[in-house]
Amino acid sequence: MHMLNLGILAHVDAGKTSLTERLLHSAGVIDEIGSVDDGSTRTDTLALERQRGITIKSAVVSFPLDGVTVNLIDTPGHPDFIAEVERVLGVLDGVVLVISAVEGVQAQTRVLMRTLQRLRIPTLLFVNKIDRSGARREAVLREIPARLTPAIVPMGTATGLGTRAARFTPGPGPAGALDVLAEHDDTLLTAYVENTVTDALLHASLVRQTREALVHPVYFGSAATGAGVAALLSGVATLLPVAGGDTDGPVSATVFKIDRGPAGEKVAYARMFSGTLRTRDKVPFGADGVEGRITGISVFGHGTQTRAESVGAGRIACLTGLADIRIGDAIGEPRETHEHFFAPPTLETVVVPGPDTDRGALHVALTRLAEQDPLIGLRRDERRRETSVSLYGEVQKEVIQATLAGEYGLEVTFRETTPLCVERLVGSGHAVEFNKQDPNPFLATVGLRVEPAPVGSGVVFRLEVELGSMPYAFFKAVEDTVRETLEQGLHGWRVTDCVVTMTHSGYSPRQSHAHQGFDKSMSSTGADFRGVTPLVLLEALRRAGTRVHEPMHRFRIEAPADTLGALLPALARSGAVPETTRNRDELCVLEGTVPAARVHALQQELPGLTRGEGELESSFAHYAPVTHGTLPERPRTDHNPLNRKEYLLNVTRRVGG
């Protein structure tokens, strides 16, 4: 059985979920097309999705198409839920990128297309809403090469735009894009020179180049009326590659979504890349290769999810039994891992429980939400009994609030959203604590040197002492504690881009009294190394010095040229730095950088400054030193090794010995 795992991606409100409904209806899977406005769509199953009319969680539904089973994956369009899109990209064979014929190429469309091109995922473009007032064909066909990619092949013409009678007529397709196709096809170029080009040669070149993500066929249509959908389905069937993989090979799968079943059990959505999984199989998963037993398998077919005894390469399955599985985990043999396609969250807020909200239940609920979204981190402050969550934007905060209320019956509010900063070293620093020498109460010698490293290199831990000078478990305890401690630097922010070198080591060997057991008061344990390492590391950081860096976004604003005079002062108030300004027709295009903390306010202010015609596109660019206002400090959640007395009062320790 041939499989095709197809993603539907778009900027929010481009009609992505409506197109999914139309595709399912055209394939005969559903008898009636659901409505986003009425909350009756097949893929928006969460109550909150139906309420707000937006997709929040990716959903899988299947349909048959010319002998191929298509697993259709509907993804969120709102940038606050970009983590959902990121997880899905790694399991797709092809994509339909939806563009509105009214709004044209939008900010999120550009972000998605750049990523699809970088990953070389075969992509068809579907220009939706040709029946809507204001729909444009020629203007959108000019926008796509200018703002997305010039490598496009229009697959037909649209007529009657802006009316319910709007239609899409296929043709001439590849015949009208000979120049684009010949650029990547020497055989076609030779045939063109020799005047021997045939329709079959053009079609074969289009199929090959589409599957290699070199060109992108463009269809026009309407999810509301069904115009152009048959042509799009034909393109999906003939132009996109089916899933590969050897069902007899070693098991290799990737988890892209975690859900909970009726009894609260974890359900892992996994794409099979190789091999066959069977119920009751014991398989390794995750970075540590922990083994778990598959207790249940469900697969997708003809619009339904059915139980199965096995699942083979190319398919998507829901697996139960792997209690500790996480999103992104490999099952069986891991595949080549990619860096994150999108930037991590750059904002943070504290969750404030309502007067009648149980804090324990809230912590459990937040943990469950976080396990479904690994880019959304939880930070627990036991001393203040507070939990912080990291975010992409304000809409995400509203969704978390509504989800906690609707699904868990927990009322919460949030403190003001703040940027997630990082700390980077100013210079180098060194510190050491010696075993059995005051004021060190721990039976361990640890010396650490910290040095700055290139931006983007993360944290590197090295040894300048012999690995055999003490048990390996003690070295591991030091390294693990170093990485944990660096989550909170001198100002409370994560310290990154540095090299930490262990310069001194020492321990007290295992000792015991006659006729008695192991004496902890005379012998080093892992707790000694975990206890002394934060003191040494923070002292080394203090001597090196750190500087707080805030997240900066690269922005692009398109607005009427005559509004530039109002825009520039607003950008200055936001701390934005315009780097380029150019005119395009009657529009001005500004590009530059702006602090992440000011993006939301700028988005809210933009419509009033530009008569509602301005468009802001922003994405994470880099971290920059904080140079204005009060230096942001983050409350510590550890035992504060910066205050030695306080730290030792709170950490279990041995004195003397």
Side-chain angles (χ1 to χ4, degrees):
M1 179 190 298
H2 292 303
M3 306 294 302
L4 168 61
N5 298 298
L6 178 69
I8 307 289
L9 275 62
H11 185 100
V12 67
D13 289 335
K16 176 175 43 60
T17 299
S18 298
L19 177 60
T20 300
E21 290 290 308
R22 176 61 67 176
L23 292 174
L24 295 175
H25 182 266
S26 298
V29 169
I30 57 177
D31 296 327
E32 188 175 340
I33 296 174
S35 164
V36 173
D37 294 335
D38 296 340
S40 56
T41 58
R42 184 68 173 264
T43 52
D44 284 348
T45 55
L46 297 179
L48 191 57
E49 291 178 312
R50 296 178 183 274
Q51 247 174 25
R52 297 182 67 106
I54 61 172
T55 302
I56 296 169
K57 295 291 182 185
S58 56
V60 182
V61 66
S62 67
F63 63 88
L65 178 64
D66 295 347
V68 176
T69 296
V70 178
N71 285 325
L72 193 62
I73 306 176
D74 185 16
T75 61
H78 198 287
D80 279 15
F81 308 106
I82 197 69
E84 281 289 320
V85 179
E86 172 172 84
R87 294 192 289 273
V88 168
L89 289 180
V91 305
L92 297 179
D93 303 304
V95 162
V96 173
L97 181 61
V98 184
I99 301 169
S100 167
V102 179
E103 288 83 9
V105 175
Q106 296 169 279
Q108 188 73 350
T109 322
R110 286 163 53 84
V111 172
L112 292 169
M113 190 64 187
R114 282 198 300 266
T115 306
L116 292 169
Q117 289 178 307
R118 191 164 73 246
L119 298 175
R120 300 292 297 273
I121 298 177
T123 303
L124 309 182
L125 305 181
F126 183 74
V127 182
N128 191 25
K129 301 185 180 181
I130 63 171
D131 59 315
R132 295 284 184 88
S133 175
R136 305 161 301 148
R137 179 182 182 272
E138 298 306 322
V140 173
L141 283 177
R142 287 194 301 270
E143 276 186 35
I144 293 173
R147 304 189 63 190
L148 290 185
T149 172
I152 62 170
V153 179
M155 298 298 289
T157 57
T159 56
L161 270 69
T163 70
R164 296 288 289 181
R167 293 289 178 267
F168 177 76
T169 306
L178 182 57
D179 291 347
V180 173
L181 293 172
E183 187 176 338
H184 300 287
D185 191 329
D186 290 341
T187 303
L188 185 60
L189 182 60
T190 301
Y192 173 68
V193 171
E194 297 175 352
N195 199 26
T196 57
V197 175
T198 63
D199 288 343
L201 187 62
L202 282 167
H203 182 72
S205 183
L206 176 66
V207 171
R208 180 184 64 79
Q209 294 192 48
T210 301
R211 292 179 178 179
E212 292 178 6
L214 295 173
V215 300
H216 308 285
V218 181
Y219 298 85
F220 281 74
S222 167
T225 67
V229 172
L232 176 65
L233 280 170
S234 176
V236 168
T238 58
L239 300 177
L240 295 180
V242 296
D246 180 8
T247 54
D248 296 323
V251 169
S252 178
T254 299
V255 176
F256 66 92
K257 177 179 177 178
I258 296 287
D259 215 338
R260 291 277 177 173
E265 73 278 14
K266 271 190 182 179
V267 180
Y269 285 66
R271 157 75 192 264
M272 294 289 298
F273 289 97
S274 172
T276 299
L277 266 180
R278 298 173 179 81
T279 306
R280 294 177 292 280
D281 276 356
K282 201 169 184 180
V283 290
F285 63 89
D288 299 328
V290 178
E291 286 199 336
R293 191 177 299 280
I294 305 292
T295 58
I297 298 174
S298 295
V299 295
F300 299 91
H302 203 80
T304 61
Q305 190 175 331
T306 56
R307 300 283 290 184
E309 284 299 309
S310 64
V311 59
R315 303 201 71 167
I316 288 176
C318 292
L319 308 174
T320 55
L322 308 178
D324 297 321
I325 197 84
R326 297 174 301 177
I327 289 173
D329 278 354
I331 298 175
E333 288 194 2
R335 300 175 70 240
E336 179 186 355
T337 56
H338 296 277
E339 59 179 288
H340 285 311
F341 310 137
F342 305 107
T346 55
L347 303 172
E348 183 179 57
T349 186
V350 174
V351 183
V352 181
D356 300 321
T357 297
D358 180 84
R359 290 176 182 267
L362 175 60
H363 182 66
V364 170
L366 287 171
T367 301
R368 286 200 171 183
L369 291 182
E371 78 182 11
Q372 295 173 16
D373 198 338
L375 292 183
I376 305 306
L378 291 184
R379 185 173 184 265
R380 178 75 175 163
D381 187 337
E382 296 293 347
R383 291 189 298 168
R384 296 175 183 81
R385 301 187 68 198
E386 291 179 350
T387 301
S388 302
V389 293
S390 52
L391 305 164
Y392 280 99
E394 295 296 318
V395 172
Q396 193 178 18
K397 189 162 67 173
E398 295 169 20
V399 167
I400 291 173
Q401 184 179 38
T403 303
L404 289 172
E407 295 187 20
Y408 298 94
L410 301 170
E411 299 295 330
V412 302
T413 56
F414 298 92
R415 292 198 193 140
E416 182 183 2
T417 302
T418 57
L420 265 173
C421 299
V422 298
E423 293 180 45
R424 290 199 173 109
L425 293 175
V426 175
S428 300
H430 179 258
V432 61
E433 298 265 357
F434 291 100
N435 182 12
K436 298 182 180 178
Q437 287 188 21
D438 285 338
N440 177 15
F442 300 99
L443 294 179
T445 293
V446 172
L448 297 171
R449 183 175 65 250
V450 295
E451 300 163 289
V455 172
S457 60
V459 175
V460 178
F461 182 79
R462 294 175 179 167
L463 294 179
E464 210 172 71
V465 293
E466 290 187 14
L467 190 58
S469 60
M470 64 181 188
Y472 173 74
F474 295 161
F475 285 112
K476 187 72 166 64
V478 172
E479 180 177 357
D480 290 348
T481 307
V482 162
R483 296 186 183 279
E484 181 183 336
T485 304
L486 287 176
E487 290 298 312
Q488 301 182 76
L490 301 180
H491 302 279
W493 304 103
R494 179 172 59 91
V495 181
T496 187
D497 301 332
C498 64
V499 176
V500 181
T501 305
M502 189 170 183
T503 59
H504 295 73
S505 66
Y507 74 110
S508 295
R510 183 181 179 92
Q511 297 184 40
S512 59
H513 297 289
H515 310 298
Q516 294 181 13
F518 169 47
D519 188 347
K520 288 186 178 180
S521 68
M522 300 170 61
S523 313
S524 297
T525 66
D528 287 294
F529 288 90
R530 288 190 294 272
V532 75
T533 297
L535 289 172
V536 177
L537 182 57
L538 265 296
E539 181 57 31
L541 286 178
R542 197 191 326 247
R543 293 175 181 177
T546 66
R547 181 176 293 135
V548 178
H549 289 61
E550 64 179 333
M552 302 293 290
H553 278 213
R554 175 157 291 282
F555 74 84
R556 183 180 191 274
I557 292 177
E558 279 193 12
D562 61 355
T563 64
L564 185 60
L567 270 175
L568 291 176
L571 290 172
R573 290 194 299 271
S574 298
V577 179
E579 295 170 358
T580 62
T581 306
R582 64 182 187 276
N583 291 328
R584 197 183 73 210
D585 300 326
E586 296 180 356
L587 294 175
C588 65
V589 180
L590 293 88
E591 295 184 349
T593 56
V594 60
R598 313 287 181 87
V599 171
H600 181 64
L602 189 57
Q603 283 174 327
Q604 291 183 314
E605 197 177 355
L606 189 64
L609 297 170
T610 61
R611 303 189 298 273
E613 298 178 49
E615 180 185 298
L616 170 65
E617 173 187 338
S618 78
S619 60
F620 173 77
H622 59 268
Y623 288 94
V626 176
T627 56
H628 55 274
T630 307
L631 194 69
E633 299 276 343
R634 195 187 198 195
R636 304 192 72 87
T637 61
D638 58 10
H639 294 302
N640 192 14
L642 286 170
N643 184 325
R644 188 182 187 94
K645 184 176 180 181
E646 177 187 336
Y647 178 81
L648 293 177
L649 283 172
N650 285 290
V651 176
T652 303
R653 66 192 191 280
R654 307 171 197 79
V655 180

